[in-house]
Every structure is written in structure tokens, then in C-alpha cells.
Amino acid sequence: PLISSCVLSAKANKQAWVDPVIRGDRSGYDFVVRIGGKARVDGTVKRPGGGTCLMSGAPMPFEYLREEGKAGSMGSRLMAIVCEGDRERVYLSPTQAQEDLARKANPSWKPELELQGKTRVNVSLYGLTTFADLFTPRQLLALTTFSDLIAEIIEEVEVDAVKAGRGKDGVGLADGGVGAKAYAQAVGVYLGFSVDRLADRGSSVCSWVKGNTGVRSTFGRQAIAMTWDYAESNPFSDSSGSYSSLLAWIPRVLDAVPASKSGSAMQIDAQSQTLSQMRLISTDPPYYDNIGYADLSDFFYIWLRRTLINIYPKIFATLAVPKSEELVASPYRHGSKAKAEKFFMYGMAAAMAQLVLLSHPGLPVTIYYAFKQSETDDKGDTSSTGWEAFLEAVVSAGFGITGTWPMLTELSNRIVGRDANALASSIVLVCRKRDNSAPAATRGEFIAALKAELPKAFARMQETNIAPVDLAQAAIGPGMAVYTSYAQVINADGEPVTVKEALSLINQTLDEAISAQEGDFDADTRWAIAWFEQFGFDAGEYGVAETLSKAKNTSVAGIVEGGIAEGGQGKVRLLRPSELPADWDPSSDRRLSTWEALHQLIRELQAGSETDAAKLAAKLGSHGDTALELSYRLYMVAERKGRASDALLYNSLVQSWKEIISLKGSILLGNTGSQGELF
């Protein structure tokens, strides 16, 4: 069996797991559900190696699994049954009768459309090449049945609408109708969305979430991931993935949508549109090659088309979503990465040039961009191809960038794993038409201007507790504002400084601004920063630590005494937050360091809550603010070194800081009864 995890429930005192038991005659294996304790087998498929045979212990590399999948050798077995109990889940061992029943489903229609791009990249390696391959026969039967029933519902609604006094004009939605037929079709459109929602929670790549014991949707990220063990939700239950729970969200959204103003939507080519003439423009363009919107849309389009084609025959005239003109850098469409980038650059520059041409002179243009993909070259310079290509298009079109700022748009439950490179926000670019009379500047003048402006901008961003993960992206704004304030920036050899080089210089200047704050820290903290940069939380040689301590005007013995590191057997190691004492009181610490204050705050946040961290922040006073500065510094170090789990520690604290400070204020008010103490 190919299993990523045997755990059904990881909840405290409610543990449940599947035990794959080899039969006594070794003719096969059976799945038995166990309640309580720890799973005997964690799983049989792990990265990076692949699978391990339960029967023989032989390795099954991913290459072998892919070959078998493409050969059609991959099947499915029922592992467990999850039932609704009295306010809790009930976990049962599978029965042959249940498995036989599941296999009797015989859908009359299958979506045989080929997978493309981001829908194909993972699952096709294992032989799943069409949308039909992403669903079990039972799931397909359920989806097609719900889809077919909507046509019957529309007929019933039209009859009811006529009885309620709606005009029987026979004109549908697509032709601008407002009578009984159009009303019934409008209800059908919203019900069509419910079938799409059911498909998202009812495919064979929906995984089981052992933490909250529910079904995760197909799209935890903007791609379809291969799932070894999957959860097949019951659409007729009242639980996770049921039709009733998915349908309930649609009227909730409609109730929240303001209906006081009218609006309109049109499909127009951004490179030739005139709609934005002298209007306020706010746009969210494609993110280079990050998301293949059209490829992913097909997953939902196939079900909408089947359900709504009689209502909107023109919209659903094509079997799949049109893709050729979509402005994304998809190499598989254009034959190579270089051709895809050229297509994106040309198209984005043309679209931006049209916005510049039509923009209102008194209003800024705001552009949302949520893309982060850092690349570091041989010299250690960091840039992002997506940002570089996009900004090149914006600048060459004639826009000047006057600022950037992050807006919290990303859900906390999206799948980012342990990726510290995942933005918490969308970045908003604020642009205006560039002044044609702007002067040129040398590379040196540009760097000098960056060093004058960027530290001030960084300080302003810190004051608002911007997440470290968003900081480098947000800093592009003030940095590019300097760059685009000149008609051109020239190198010593007379060549123009490219956007890529400008981004690298902005990153370097930001790094210098963050590093400059080290002067605010005590000697022990400065030593710890240097040690962390070299070793992280791993052990290093005592001699190296002692030499470094002298350079930082401290000593290893003092650092160990200060409670931030441990030494022994010729080694020295920084203590992780979880290793620090829980009963720590800063008022009685004779060697209080900013490093210790920061990591104690992180320990409280991890072990307890924001309230616990706020109680400690109240005791720390101004040391808390200095600890926040240190968080930015250590995040940049951890990210640059590729230590994602460490970077997440510091990013999480900064993201929680606003709430911590708010709770800290309440705690101090409660202690003093006077607001004056806070200031």
C-alpha cells in the first residue's frame, strides 16, 4: 500500500490510526483501525526516497512508482470508515461489503479532457492524465447526478416564479431577461457553483487532515498535488465535504455582497482596451509563471459547462478554457522558457503602456502583485525573475513607482508547508506616469540616494510590524521610487543599470539597514547573531566561539551564564526557544540580553498563546521593542541560509506583535488602573 500517513486523528485523548496487518499466510494484508496510542506504521511513502513495501521491506523508488502508475497498475483499497457519532468522529475498520458497494458505481459521463500545465505537472507522472482520472466512479456518479438535477430545479423555480408574479416572457439570462425564466436560470447559476464546490471537496486527491479530522480540498495550493491516501467525503452527510455544508456558503456570500450599486464585467484584451480612460485604475495582473489560471480553471469549467451550457451557450462554447492569449510565462505553451518570458514581457509592457496612456494625471494607479521567488547568483546577489520581468514591463511602459505596501490577502490555512518564502500578503505597487524631464544619474548617485532613503522607509515599515517575509518585497517600492525618479541610471561603462541590477542593489541596501541596527544590541546578542549566521542552532567548536566572543567584547563563559547558549566537550550551541526555562523572570536576570528576551517571547508564543507572550512583553518593557528589531535581522539571516523553520519563528512573532502589544496594554491598564503608565 502507498500511504503517506496512517493517522486518522491526532487530537489529544482521541487518537485513532490505521494498522496495516500482514496476514498469517502472508497472502496479503488487511487494514484494522486502532483507537488510542501511537501509530505502529507512520506511512509507507516518504520523500525524498519513495515507498517501502509493507510485505517485504523492499524500497520502491519514485521512478518505479511512476512507471507502475503509467502502466495502469495503481489501484485503490478502503483503509477506514469515518462516521458521525455523538459530537465526535467514530472510526471503523473497513468491510468488504462497503468496498464492493463503492466499486458498483457506474457514472454515465466522464470528463475526458486532458490535464494541462499546473493541473498536470504532478499527477501525470503517475498515469493520471485526464480530469476523469482525478475522480472515483462513485464521485463522478454523485457529481453528474447533482449536475443533472439542477436542470429539473430550474424548471420548478420558473413555475414558482410565474405563480409569484414574475413575468413569463420566455427570455433567458444570456439575452438580458428579467422575467421568470431568467430568475430561474439565475438560481441555476448559483446552484452550478455548488457542483464546482462539491468537485473541489470530492476528488481523489483530497487528503485527510488528521489535526481537525476533516477533508482538505483539491486546491490547497495553485496546482494539483499527487495524494497517496485520500478521503472520499459523503455528500449526503452533515459533515466535512457534504453538499449541504458546501451549498450553505453560497447564500452566505450573497447576503454579504452589497447590492446598493450596480457593476459590470467585460472580457477585453488589456493590451488594447480603452475602458480605463481617465478612470481610477486598480488591477491585479498575472504573476509571471507562478499561477496558470487557465489551466487550473478547467477543473471547475468542465462542471460549470456541463451544468450551465443551456443557459450560457456562447460562454461555454469551447470544451476548455481559452489559453493561448493568457499573459503568463508558461514554457510548455511557447516551446521554451526564453520564448515564454519574451511573450510575457512583450504582452505585459503593452498592457502597462496602455494603462500609462489612459491613466488620469491626478490619480495613482495601484497594481497588486503577490509573487516571491528569490534567486541567488554566484556572487550572492538575490533577485526574483518574476518581479524583475514585471517591473521591467512597468518601468519601460513609462510608469514611475512611488511606493509599495503589503495588504493582508492570503489565508492562514493555505498549504505553505515549512516555506518561509511564502508571502503573507499581496504587495501593492503605487504608480504614476514618469516625468519625462527627470535627470539621469550615475550608479554611484543611485546607491547614495538608496542609502539615504531606504533606512527611513525601513524604519516606517517596522513601526507598522510588517511581516519579515513581506519586507524585501515592500522595500522594492521606495527603492524603485528612487530608481524611477531618474530618466536613466548609468554604469561606469556607460551602460544603463537594469531593473535586475537595481533590485539587487535595493536588497543589499536593505540588508545593510537591518545590519546597522546591531549597534542597538548588547555584546552577548551581537555574538549570538554572528554565531547564528554561521551555525544556526547547531553546535560549533569552542575555539571559534571564544575567538568570536573577544571580537564582540564578551566571553563564552558569560554567554553561557546569560542563559542563551550551552557549552561542553569542546562545543558551543545556542539554545532553541523550546529549551529555555519556562519560569524565566527578566526582572531578576542579572545578564539580560535582547537575544534572550526575543527567544523567550517566541517560547511563550509557541508553548502558550499571544496572551502569554503579552504578559512577558509587559515585564520586558523597552527590551521588547529591541527584540522586535532583532526578529527582522534573524529572519533575513535564516532565509538567506535556507533555514525555513527558523525563519518562520521570527516571522510568526512579528505577525503576532500587534496583538501582543494590544494585550500588553490591557494587562498594564489592569495592573495600574492608569493609562499614563503605558506612555
Side-chain angles (χ1 to χ4, degrees):
L2 304 176
I3 309 169
S4 59
S5 174
C6 290
V7 179
L8 295 172
S9 173
K11 291 183 176 180
N13 302 318
K14 294 184 179 180
Q15 293 92 343
W17 50 282
V18 177
D19 190 7
V21 180
I22 300 174
R23 295 170 191 156
D25 60 1
R26 303 195 64 81
S27 61
Y29 57 88
D30 298 297
F31 292 116
V32 180
V33 169
R34 312 287 188 191
I35 305 299
K38 187 178 180 181
R40 182 179 63 84
V41 177
D42 184 34
T44 62
V45 181
K46 298 292 178 186
R47 290 197 173 277
T52 303
C53 176
L54 181 70
M55 303 287 290
S56 66
M60 297 183 289
F62 281 116
E63 290 78 6
Y64 167 75
L65 297 180
R66 289 163 184 164
E67 289 173 6
E68 291 296 304
K70 289 176 181 177
S73 303
M74 202 174 283
S76 61
R77 287 274 301 272
L78 187 61
M79 289 177 63
I81 301 169
V82 185
C83 300
E84 296 174 21
D86 184 12
R87 292 182 296 178
E88 65 177 2
R89 299 273 197 258
V90 176
Y91 303 94
L92 304 174
S93 298
T95 67
Q96 191 61 50
Q98 285 277 7
E99 189 156 352
D100 291 343
L101 199 61
R103 298 190 190 284
K104 286 184 178 180
N106 185 24
S108 59
W109 179 82
K110 295 180 181 181
E112 298 290 1
L113 187 70
E114 290 280 331
L115 300 170
Q116 295 191 48
K118 289 292 180 80
T119 59
R120 183 183 180 85
V121 64
N122 297 310
V123 295
S124 67
L125 297 173
Y126 302 92
L128 309 180
T129 58
T130 70
F131 281 99
D133 295 333
L134 303 179
F135 301 92
T136 68
R138 181 160 64 174
Q139 289 170 336
L140 287 172
L141 181 57
L143 286 165
T144 53
T145 301
F146 277 106
S147 175
D148 292 342
L149 285 171
I150 290 174
E152 297 180 25
I153 293 170
I154 291 172
E155 291 180 4
E156 290 187 28
V157 172
E158 185 173 359
V159 171
D160 291 343
V162 171
K163 291 178 181 178
R166 287 262 178 183
K168 191 177 181 181
D169 56 9
V171 182
L173 271 180
D175 297 319
V178 294
K181 183 174 183 178
Y183 177 85
Q185 288 181 342
V187 174
V189 169
Y190 293 126
L191 290 175
F193 298 161
S194 72
V195 176
D196 265 8
R197 289 181 59 78
L198 189 62
D200 188 32
R201 286 296 183 102
S203 77
S204 64
V205 290
C206 291
S207 55
W208 179 253
V209 185
K210 58 190 176 185
N212 63 3
T213 61
V215 182
R216 179 181 281 128
S217 64
T218 300
F219 289 98
R221 57 170 64 92
Q222 287 93 358
I224 295 180
M226 184 62 188
T227 306
W228 302 110
D229 41 276
Y230 60 91
E232 191 175 27
S233 56
N234 179 357
F236 305 107
S237 70
D238 293 321
S239 191
S240 175
S242 69
Y243 181 78
S244 60
S245 67
L246 298 170
L247 177 66
W249 279 97
I250 296 172
R252 285 179 67 182
V253 170
L254 294 177
D255 285 341
V257 172
S260 59
K261 300 291 182 182
S262 62
S264 61
M266 285 165 275
Q267 186 176 21
I268 304 173
D269 188 342
Q271 299 175 47
S272 58
Q273 59 85 19
T274 57
L275 181 68
S276 64
Q277 177 122 30
M278 300 300 284
R279 286 186 168 94
L280 179 65
I281 301 167
S282 185
T283 184
D284 188 6
Y287 305 150
Y288 191 61
D289 63 349
N290 205 29
I291 303 172
Y293 300 93
D295 296 334
L296 300 173
S297 295
D298 277 338
F299 181 91
F300 300 101
Y301 179 86
I302 54 175
W303 294 108
L304 280 178
R305 184 176 189 273
R306 188 180 191 279
T307 307
L308 305 178
I309 190 168
N310 291 330
I311 298 176
Y312 290 112
K314 290 182 180 179
I315 290 178
F316 296 106
T318 58
L319 291 174
V321 173
K323 299 177 179 65
S324 61
E325 294 180 3
E326 184 186 20
L327 197 53
V328 292
S330 296
Y332 86 92
R333 289 186 200 161
H334 302 283
S336 70
K337 185 176 180 179
K339 289 180 180 178
E341 182 170 334
K342 183 178 179 181
F343 170 81
F344 177 85
M345 285 290 295
Y346 178 83
M348 187 59 72
M352 289 296 145
Q354 195 69 2
L355 288 182
V356 172
L357 179 67
L358 301 174
S359 64
H360 192 292
L363 299 172
V365 174
T366 54
I367 306 172
Y368 291 73
Y369 208 65
F371 182 85
K372 183 178 183 184
Q373 182 177 305
S374 297
E375 299 172 356
T376 304
D377 61 21
D378 296 337
K379 299 177 183 177
D381 294 334
T382 301
S383 64
S384 164
T385 302
W387 267 107
E388 176 199 333
F390 175 67
L391 288 172
E392 186 72 61
V394 171
V395 173
S396 64
F399 269 132
I401 297 164
T402 58
T404 53
W405 204 254
M407 286 190 67
L408 294 175
T409 58
E410 308 305 308
L411 285 173
S412 60
N413 65 350
R414 73 203 190 283
I415 299 177
V416 294
R418 301 175 69 83
D419 183 14
N421 199 37
L423 287 175
S425 313
S426 292
I427 306 301
V428 183
L429 295 174
V430 184
C431 306
R432 289 183 184 271
K433 192 178 296 186
R434 292 175 72 178
D435 183 0
N436 293 328
S437 63
T442 65
R443 185 177 186 273
E445 289 171 333
F446 171 53
I447 293 173
L450 278 180
K451 291 184 176 181
E453 294 299 322
L454 214 52
K456 292 185 288 187
F458 168 52
R460 289 194 298 272
M461 286 185 268
Q462 271 188 314
E463 288 171 2
T464 63
N465 302 133
I466 182 175
V469 71
D470 295 323
L471 182 60
Q473 309 304 103
I476 289 174
M480 289 302 294
V482 174
Y483 179 77
T484 56
S485 67
Y486 303 113
Q488 201 173 34
V489 179
I490 306 297
N491 272 319
D493 57 4
E495 293 295 318
V497 171
T498 63
V499 168
K500 180 178 182 178
E501 188 178 355
L503 287 175
S504 180
L505 291 170
I506 291 167
N507 285 329
Q508 288 176 28
T509 308
L510 177 63
D511 217 16
E512 289 171 10
I514 296 173
S515 300
Q517 290 185 332
E518 283 193 26
D520 298 337
F521 304 141
D522 54 89
D524 287 1
T525 298
R526 292 199 302 273
W527 174 90
I529 293 169
W531 186 264
F532 180 77
E533 191 155 7
Q534 189 170 357
F535 298 103
F537 289 105
D538 296 332
E541 296 295 330
Y542 181 90
V544 176
E546 183 64 25
T547 301
L548 182 61
S549 70
K550 290 176 181 177
K552 301 296 181 182
N553 197 27
T554 184
S555 67
V556 173
I559 291 162
V560 171
E561 181 189 346
I564 65 173
E566 66 174 12
Q569 299 181 336
K571 299 285 185 180
V572 175
R573 181 178 69 87
L574 284 167
L575 295 174
R576 292 184 176 276
S578 58
E579 297 174 303
L580 297 175
D583 57 351
W584 181 68
D585 184 357
S587 63
S588 60
D589 193 324
R590 294 182 300 173
R591 196 177 177 115
L592 175 60
S593 65
T594 301
W595 182 278
E596 188 175 19
L598 168 62
H599 291 82
Q600 281 285 2
L601 282 166
I602 292 172
R603 183 194 59 74
E604 289 286 359
L605 194 60
Q606 286 184 313
S609 64
E610 288 174 340
T611 301
D612 297 319
K615 290 176 181 177
L616 179 56
K619 295 179 181 179
L620 284 169
S622 61
H623 284 287
D625 298 329
T626 316
L628 187 66
E629 290 182 9
L630 179 58
S631 250
Y632 284 99
R633 176 78 175 103
L634 297 181
Y635 174 86
M636 300 294 279
V637 172
E639 188 193 32
R640 189 169 60 245
K641 295 289 185 179
R643 304 174 194 148
S645 59
D646 292 341
L648 284 172
L649 292 176
Y650 307 115
N651 193 62
S652 298
L653 179 73
V654 176
Q655 286 188 297
S656 300
W657 193 251
K658 187 175 181 180
E659 181 63 20
I660 290 171
I661 291 302
S662 175
L663 292 168
K664 171 187 169 184
S666 300
I667 291 166
L668 290 174
L669 279 173
N671 290 343
T672 65
S674 167
Q675 191 174 1
E677 280 297 313
L678 293 177
F679 305 96

